[in-house]
Amino acid sequence: MNFDFSEEQTLLKDSVAKFIQNEYSYEARQKNSQSDAGYSEKNWSTFAELGWLCVPFTEEQGGIGGGPVEMMIMMEEFGKGLVVEPYFSSVVLSGGLLAKVGNENQQAELITGIIDGSKKIAFAYNESQARFDLHNVATQAEKNDQGYVINGNKSLVLHGASADLLIVSVRTSGESLDRDGITLLVVPANAEGVTVKATRTLDGQRAAEVQFANVAVGSDALLGEEGKAASVIDQVADEAILALCAEAVGSMEKLYKDTVAYTKERKQFGVAISGFQALQHRMVDMFTAHEQCKSLLLRAVLSYAAGDSDVAKNIAALKYQVGVSGQAVAHEAVQIHGGMGMTDEMSVGMYLKRINMINTLFGNADYHLQRFAELSAA
Amino acid sequence: MNFDFSEEQTLLKDSVAKFIQNEYSYEARQKNSQSDAGYSEKNWSTFAELGWLCVPFTEEQGGIGGGPVEMMIMMEEFGKGLVVEPYFSSVVLSGGLLAKVGNENQQAELITGIIDGSKKIAFAYNESQARFDLHNVATQAEKNDQGYVINGNKSLVLHGASADLLIVSVRTSGESLDRDGITLLVVPANAEGVTVKATRTLDGQRAAEVQFANVAVGSDALLGEEGKAASVIDQVADEAILALCAEAVGSMEKLYKDTVAYTKERKQFGVAISGFQALQHRMVDMFTAHEQCKSLLLRAVLSYAAGDSDVAKNIAALKYQVGVSGQAVAHEAVQIHGGMGMTDEMSVGMYLKRINMINTLFGNADYHLQRFAELSAA
Amino acid sequence: MDIQFTPEDIAFQKEVRAFLSENVTDEIRRGYTGGEVDPDIMVKWQKILHKKGWVAPNWPAEIGGTGWTITQKYIFENECADSGAPSVIPFGLKMVAPVIYTFGSDEQKKRFLPDILESNVWWCQGYSEPGAGSDLAALQTKAELDGDHYVVNGQKIWTTYAQDADWIFCLVRTSSEGKRQAGISFLLIDMKTPGVEVRKIDTIDNQHTLNEVFFDNVRVPVENRIGEENKGWTYAKVLLTHERTAIAGVAQSKKGLQKLKEFTAQEKVGAGVLADDPLLAAKIAKVEIDLMALEYTELRAIASVSAGGAPGPESSILKIRGTEIQQAVSELTIEACGHYAHILNDGEAIGNDMSWVASAKYLYGRASTIYGGSNEVQKNIIAKMVLGL
Amino acid sequence: MDIQFTPEDIAFQKEVRAFLSENVTDEIRRGYTGGEVDPDIMVKWQKILHKKGWVAPNWPAEIGGTGWTITQKYIFENECADSGAPSVIPFGLKMVAPVIYTFGSDEQKKRFLPDILESNVWWCQGYSEPGAGSDLAALQTKAELDGDHYVVNGQKIWTTYAQDADWIFCLVRTSSEGKRQAGISFLLIDMKTPGVEVRKIDTIDNQHTLNEVFFDNVRVPVENRIGEENKGWTYAKVLLTHERTAIAGVAQSKKGLQKLKEFTAQEKVGAGVLADDPLLAAKIAKVEIDLMALEYTELRAIASVSAGGAPGPESSILKIRGTEIQQAVSELTIEACGHYAHILNDGEAIGNDMSWVASAKYLYGRASTIYGGSNEVQKNIIAKMVLGL
C-alpha cells in the first residue's frame, strides 16, 4: 500500500506544475479565455511539445501508456490554473474513444493528429432532452450504401467550434432511451449540412450547439461497432469523471489556500480577518473538504487502475462528493473574500463557475448519489 | 394580522409558566419521572384544580373551549419543564378522540373523568409493523351479538400502564393497510385478556406494550362509527403534532438559553467560552432555528384554527422542521456543554432525548418532508 | 392571535390583482430579471405605480405614502412578486427618501422628494469603501469645508447602478476627532459635478451592476448636507433599521420557488419529469419550508413593530435567513437547469428558457450574504445584542 | 501508487478470517455492544488474541508486537470489525503501554508490560479534571513529594471504565512554576491504594461508562513515575500522537453502516422495506461516501507515517471526521429503528432487535466529539498548525 508517485510521475507533475506557475497566471488565463478561439494555440503547441497530449495513449499509438494516475496528476494541476485549452475535450474524451475502439487507420491518422497537436476532435454526446443520460440519443443516422446520413442536434459540445472533427453519438436503431442502437461516427466539422454555433460557457470556456441536416458520411466514419457504442461511451465517461474530479480537486486546493492567504491580508476592524475564529473554523472545513475529496479521488483512480470490482461505486462516490464539496468550498471562498470575491479581478469566482460546470458534466451530484445508492444497496 | 395573546390566553400562559418555574425544577421532574407511576399524582391533581385538563373541551363537555392556540401555549411551557404527566396522552390524544366522536354517554362519563383527573385514558394506536402509518392496523376485532372480541398487539402505548382505560384502534374489516375498516373501541385496562407490560422510554416517560387475547367488550365500547375511524384518527394526529411541536419549541428555547448561560459561566484557557466567536455563531444558529420553528408553529396553529386549505401542508412543514432543527439544537447544546452535557446532572441530555422522541411520534422528519413534497407539488 | 384577512383586506387584494394584471406586461417584467436592470422600463413601471399612488407604501401618507395597514403592505408585496413585477429600485424611494423626510430641511424635502416620487431622478448609495466594508465606520472619503462648499476626495465601492444614477447619497468624513462614528456627515451629491467618476466593476455574473465611484476635488454645496455636520452616522443608522419589510425578500423568493416548481413539473427527463426526482423534490421542499418559516418570522417582526413595539429578536435573523434562502433557491434553479445554466447565450435561449436568467441570478446572488452588512457581521450583532454574548 | 493486496496480504487475510470465524462467538461479540463493556468477556477475548500473538499489533515485535506491515494492520482491523469482534480496551494496550515501553525504566517495563499483554491488569486514564477539559494543561491534581512517595490530592473526571480498572495512569501537577505544561508528571497509581475513590457519573445513555476518581492523600511510590519529574506533558503528548490508526474508527463505522443497511433492507414498511425510502437511502449513501473518503484519508496518513515521514495535513482531520461519521451512523440507525429506539427495554428486545443497542450507542456517541480534545479544539489546532492562521 503506497501513495507515492513514481519518478516519472513526479517529473510529469513538476513539469505541469511549473508551466502553470510560470505561464498560467490568472491574467494570462483570462486573456486566452477571451481570445477568439477561447484558448492559446501557443499553449497547445507547448502541450504537444512537452508530450502532454500523448500521455494516455499506448506506445503503439504513439503515446507513453499513461494511466489514470498520470491523468489525475495533469488534471489536478490544470485545475489549479483553470486551464482553458481543449485537453479534456480532445485528449480525454475523443482520444479516449479512439484509443479504445478506433481501427488501425483511425488510430494512425487521428491519434497521431491529436498527439502532434494538428487535430482537435470534439465529442458530441449531449442532447437537450437527455439531461445526464448518455444513452438518451435522438440524433438519427440512417444507413445507406455509401455510409450514413445524420439528422439531429447536439448540445453543449465542448470546444466544438474549434474542432476539426466531431465524434458524434447517433442512433442507428432502437428507441431514444435504449442502450442498444447507439453508434459513434467521425464527422468533419466542415462537412456539408453541419452547422456549428459557437457558444461561451460561464466558466470562460467554449462549447457549441451543432446541427446535423442530412449530413452524409462514408462507411469509414464508423468508430467501433455499429449499435454497440454504449459501453465505450460509459467507459470514457468514467475516465472523464476521474479527469474532471482531479481538475476540481486541484481547484479546491487553490481555493482554500487562496482564501487562507487573503484573510491574512484583509483587515477589518483594525485586524486581519484571519484572526476571527468563526472564519478559521470554516476554513478548516474547506481544508477538510479538499482532503476528503482528494482521498476519494485517489480511491477511484487507484481502483480504476486496478480494475477493482467496486470501481463504479468509487467513481459515483467521487463525482457526488466533488460536486457537493466543490460547490461548498467555492461558495465559502467567495463569501470569505467578501466583495472582492464577486469581481473578475480575483480568480475565486472563476473557480466557482468552473466547479459548477464540472458538477454538471457527466451527471451532477444527486445523479451520482442515487447511482451510488443503487450500487451500494445491501 | 396580529400575534398577540388575548387576556385569557396570557393568564393561562402565566399560570403554566409559573407552575413550571416554581414546581418543576429539573430535580423535581427527575424525581417524578423515576417514581413508580413515572409522574406525580399530586401534580396531576394540581393540573385538574387549575383547570388545565379541561382546556380543549367545549363548555357543554365541561371545558372552556380552548383551541389550538391555548394548547400551544400550555405545551410550549410543558416543553420548557419536560413535563412527564400524561397530559398529551390523556387530554390531547384520548380527550381529542372522545370530544370529536364520543356519544353522549361517553362524553358525560369519560370526558368528565379526564377533566376532574379521576380517569386516565391512553390511546393504543401503534403497532410494531406500522412504522408511521396510522392506518396500518392488524389488531383484529370480531363482531358478535354482545359486542367485539379483540386479538392483537399494540406497541408504545403512551402512558398505557397508568391508564384506567384504553382507546384501541382495531380492524373490523379490510386489509391491514386499508384506510377503511378501522374502528375505535374503549377497553378497560383491567379487562380479561388484556396484558399490559409497562416500559420506560429514554426521555424519562412511560409507555406500554399491550396484548389483547380474546378480549370481549360490549357494543357500547364502540367510539364513533364502526370502520370509519381513520379520519378522526388523522384529525387527532394533526392536533397531536401541533401539541408535540409546541412542546419541542419550548424545549428548544430552553436549550439555546441554557447553552448561552452555560458558556458565560464555563471557563477554558482562562476565559469564559462565550467569548469564542465560533461558538457564538453556532449559538446564533441555535437561536435562529428556534425562531424559525416558532414561526412554523404559529403558522400551523393559526391555519388549523382558521381551517385554512393549506393546513396539512403547514403541519407537515412544522413536523419536519421541528424534527430536524430540534435535533440539531439539542446536539449543539450537548456539544457546547461538553462533558457536562453527557451527564444526567444537567438537563440538556434529557431535552435531547425528549426531542428525539417527539421527532419519532406521529411520523419523523423525513416522513413529513415527503408528505409535504407531495402536498406542495406544482 | 389572528392571521385571517378581513373582508376589507380581501377587497384590497382584488383591487391590487386587477391593477397588476392590467399593468404588469411582459415588457415591465423584463425591467429586472436577475442582475442588471433596464432603467427605461423601471422608470415606466415606477411612474405607473406613482400614478396609482402606490410607489411609496412606506412613506407618510401626507407626503405620498399609502397609509396602508401592515396586512395591506404584505398583500401588496406578495401580489407584486406573484405578478412578476420588478421591485422598485430602492435607493431613492426606500433609502434616501426616509432620511430626507425624517432629517432633511423643508427646503431639501421640497427639492428632492417630488422627483423621487415621480422617478425623475435616480439615486445610488455611497457607503462602502475599499477599506470600509463590514467595518463601515472606517470610511476615509474626506469632505473639507471651503466657503459654502465641501470639497470631497476619496473613493466609494460596490455602488450599485451608479452608472444610471443622477445623484448619490454619501457618508463622508468631516472630522477625524473623537470616535470614528462621530466624524461622519451625510451628503447628497449630483453625479454630474466635475470630479465625479464612475468605473464599472467587472463581476462574476457578467452583468453591469456594481461600480467604483471616485471623487476628485468634488465641490458640494453645504446645503446638500442632511442634518448636522458629523451626525451622519446617526441618520445612516436610522436608515439601516428603517426598511425592514423587504430585507428578507420573502415575496421574491416565493415567486422564484414557484417558477422552479413549475419548471421541474414540466421539464421532461427520460420517461418522466424532473419533479419526479425524490432528492430534488426534497431539496425544494426543504427550502419551501424554510421560506414558510421566514415569512412568519417577518410577519411577527412587522406586527411587533407596527404595534408600536420594538422589533423583537426574531427580526435579527431576517437578513441572514432571507439571503440564505434566496441563494438556496438560485442554487436549486441552476441545478434544475442542468447543463444549460452554464451557457452564456448572449440573449438567445439554449436548451431551456430558465437557464440564462438563472445563472445570472445565482452568481449575482452570491453578493447578498456579503452586502448590507455581511451575514457574519449580522451574527456578531445577534450574538452581542440579542444573546448578550 | 499502488493499493492492491499482494498474494501474501491475501494469504494473511485468509488466516485472519479463519481465526476470527473460529474464535469470535456470539458471546465474544457481546463483550462490547455500544457503551458498557463486559469485562469478563473482554478479558477472555483479549487472552485469545494474546495466545495467537495478535493482541498488540502496534507494539515493537520484540516485546510482543506482531511486526505487521501497515497493510496487514489495515486488513486485521477491518476483518476484526467485520467479524463483530469487540475492539480491545485501549487504556492498557494502546495508551499506557507505549508510554511505558518508550519512556519507562527497564524495571517498569518488566513490571507492567507482561500483565498488560496478558490482560491480567486493567488500566484507566486519569487526564481530564473538572476545570481542565479541552484545556488539559490547567490540571490541578497535586502530587507532593514526601520521602520516596508522592502524596496525591485532587480529582479526575470522565474516567472511562474506572470501575473495572486495577491501575490508573495520571497526569499530576508536581510544580506550579514556569509554563503550566512544565510542571506536570506522569504517574502510575494502583487503584487499590487507600484514598482512591471511584464515583459513577450518571450519563444520558443510562449505562455505566464514566466516573470521577478522587485522590485523598494517596501515597504513590516514586518508582511509579514515568521518566523525569515535570516532563509528563511530553510523554502524554507523544502518546496523543502515537496511536493514529484507530482514532477515526473507520472499521467500526463500516461495520455499523453495514448492519444498518442490512436492517433497512429487511425491515418491512407497508408493502416494501425501509431501504426503499429514497431519502433514507440517500442519507445512508452520503455517510458511506464520507466514510469511504475517510478510509483513504486514514490510509494516506498511515502510509506517510509508516514511510518514515511526518503525518501529513490529512491526518489532522481524522478525529473530527471520524467522530462526526460515527455520530451520523448512530443517528441514522436510531432513525431507522423508529419508535423502538426510544424504549428502554431492560434487556428484552421490543419492536426490533437493533433498537436498544442503537440508542445506547447514539447517546454515548455524543461524547465522541467532546472527548480526546473536543472537535472545536481540533479545529483550532488545524487552523493554527496546518493553515497557519
Side-chain angles (χ1 to χ4, degrees), chain A residues 287-288 292 295, chain D residues 243-250 293-302 311-326 375 378 382:
Chain A
F287 158 79
T288 302
Q292 288 281 79
S295 290
Chain D
E243 277 297 333
R244 295 196 159 269
T245 51
I247 198 168
V250 169
L294 194 70
E295 185 174 18
Y296 263 58
T297 301
E298 189 178 54
L299 289 177
R300 289 164 61 204
I302 296 172
E314 68 283 348
S315 67
S316 325
I317 63 183
L318 293 177
K319 201 269 171 169
I320 296 174
R321 296 303 289 134
T323 51
E324 286 172 353
I325 289 168
Q326 288 159 32
N375 286 18
Q378 303 295 334
I382 296 174

Side-chain angles (χ1 to χ4, degrees), chain C residues 108 156 181 372:
Chain C
Q108 288 169 332
K156 294 292 176 181
Q181 286 82 351

Side-chain angles (χ1 to χ4, degrees), chain B residues 125-133 136 155-156 177 197 199-203 207 209 266-270 276 278-279 282 327 331-332 334-346 348-350 352-353 356-364 366-367 369-370, chain D residues 129-136 157-158 180 201-206 210 267-271 274 277-280 283 327 331 334-346 348 350-351 356 359-360 362-367 369-370 374-377 379-380:
Chain B
Y125 60 91
N126 191 39
E127 300 188 5
S128 67
Q129 84 290 347
R131 199 159 166 94
F132 305 129
D133 181 0
N136 184 332
S155 188
L156 197 78
L177 298 177
K197 179 180 155 36
T199 54
R200 292 180 297 140
T201 49
L202 278 181
D203 56 359
E209 303 291 300
R266 172 70 176 165
K267 288 201 169 110
Q268 288 276 280
F269 305 101
F276 293 125
L279 295 189
R282 284 160 60 180
Q327 288 179 87
H331 286 159
E332 281 290 69
V334 170
Q335 180 70 21
I336 295 175
H337 274 78
M340 290 308 294
M342 290 297 297
T343 68
D344 276 344
E345 194 183 318
M346 308 287 283
V348 55
M350 197 54 75
L352 167 67
K353 290 186 269 191
N356 263 311
M357 181 62 145
I358 287 176
N359 177 45
T360 302
L361 290 173
F362 292 94
N364 71 6
D366 274 359
Y367 178 83
L369 180 63
Q370 290 173 80
Chain D
E129 298 184 7
S134 290
D135 181 17
L136 188 57
I157 196 169
W158 317 127
R180 298 184 309 169
I201 298 175
D202 290 323
T203 47
I204 60 174
D205 58 330
N206 299 304
L210 302 180
E267 181 75 357
K268 293 210 168 59
V269 179
L274 196 47
D277 180 338
L279 301 192
L280 184 60
K283 289 198 283 194
Q327 290 184 344
E331 287 166 25
I334 62 158
E335 179 176 336
C337 289
H339 297 110
Y340 303 99
H342 304 279
I343 301 179
L344 262 173
N345 67 354
D346 300 318
E348 188 190 331
I350 292 178
W356 191 68
S359 58
Y362 162 73
L363 290 167
Y364 186 67
R366 302 318 304 175
T369 46
I370 298 167
S374 75
N375 286 18
E376 290 79 12
V377 168
K379 286 191 182 181
N380 290 344

